Amino acid sequence: MSDIADRAIWRIEKDVHNAMAHVRKQQMLESDGRCHFCDEQIAPALLFCNMDCRDDYDKEKAALRRAGR
Ligand SMILES: [Zn+2]
């Protein structure tokens, strides 16, 4: 009976795949202790000071992509 083990491996591979996809999406950004949108000082591991800044940053990026830059 290896069903449970197979399922567990499938689950782990899926999790790793999702994590890798997430990392690739965030690859452009490096945390430097400042919010990437408003330049506020934040904890070193963070990219943005709050959700609003992250959303606005994403929107700005999307707008730039649409503008072809
Ligand atoms: Zn901010």
Side-chain angles (χ1 to χ4, degrees):
M1 289 291 279
S2 63
D3 263 18
I4 290 167
D6 284 350
R7 255 175 232 272
I9 288 165
W10 176 84
R11 186 64 244 182
I12 289 164
E13 280 175 353
K14 199 167 149 61
D15 283 350
V16 168
H17 178 85
N18 288 344
M20 294 291 283
H22 183 74
V23 166
R24 267 198 295 273
K25 237 179 3 189
Q26 299 283 329
Q27 199 177 43
M28 305 291 288
L29 297 178
E30 268 179 54
S31 56
D32 57 2
R34 287 186 177 273
C35 174
H36 280 69
F37 188 72
C38 71
D39 223 28
E40 187 101 9
Q41 271 208 302
I42 50 171
L46 298 177
L47 295 173
F48 301 100
C49 60
N50 60 36
M51 301 286 277
D52 285 344
C53 274
R54 199 204 58 192
D55 286 352
D56 286 349
Y57 180 88
D58 282 347
K59 268 182 234 160
E60 198 181 77
K61 279 274 161 192
L64 287 177
R65 266 201 303 276
R66 272 199 302 275
R69 269 183 277 177

